[in-house]
Amino acid sequence: MGDGGELLFVADTSNHRLTVFNRIDGNFVRTLGRHGVAPGCFHLPSAVAAARGYIIVAEKRRVQVLLPNGVPQQVVAPPGMGSLHGIHVRADEGSVLVADPQVRRIHEFELVRYAEGA
């Protein structure tokens, strides 16, 4: 998953983090997050996508929205989620679809970008 620039974000599931590479040369850049439940931490991240300047991460039972530097912006964990495994950003980048095969459901989340200071 790219950020529209030179970075490629990869869900490193078993290490409970994101690994970031340079998209041009493939070199390692950094890792984001660690194991945990606090915003910015991960528990079995399984999918990652980019939209509207955000990095969206599907985990075991929640979705996190981060800035490309890893700063958490929002955590979504509605009741009834099973185990999230796939993510798709609609072409207009207005919403994100997350596959939840455990409960045989697709969750849809609207992306809203707030203006600085709003």
Side-chain angles (χ1 to χ4, degrees):
M1 190 289 322
D3 69 341
E6 294 183 5
L7 300 178
L8 177 70
F9 293 79
V10 177
D12 188 354
T13 304
S14 61
N15 288 311
H16 306 283
R17 65 185 180 198
L18 300 182
T19 302
V20 184
F21 297 95
N22 182 298
R23 187 178 57 85
I24 306 302
D25 60 21
N27 287 329
F28 171 83
V29 175
R30 66 180 179 270
T31 60
L32 294 175
R34 58 183 170 79
H35 189 233
V37 296
C41 295
F42 303 106
H43 180 67
L44 299 172
S46 59
V48 61
R52 295 190 176 184
Y54 295 116
I55 305 303
I56 302 114
V57 182
E59 297 177 69
K60 179 80 173 171
R61 299 207 190 286
R62 67 182 185 174
V63 175
Q64 287 199 64
V65 180
L66 312 167
L67 293 176
N69 64 2
V71 174
Q73 300 298 295
Q74 185 175 14
V75 177
V76 180
M81 278 195 177
S83 184
L84 306 176
H85 287 285
I87 194 165
H88 172 77
V89 177
R90 290 194 184 256
D92 65 0
E93 294 191 352
S95 62
V96 174
L97 303 173
V98 182
D100 189 344
Q102 185 174 352
V103 295
R104 297 182 180 157
R105 188 176 299 156
I106 301 291
H107 302 281
E108 184 171 10
F109 303 97
E110 183 178 354
L111 285 175
V112 178
R113 184 161 181 97
Y114 296 100
E116 292 288 323

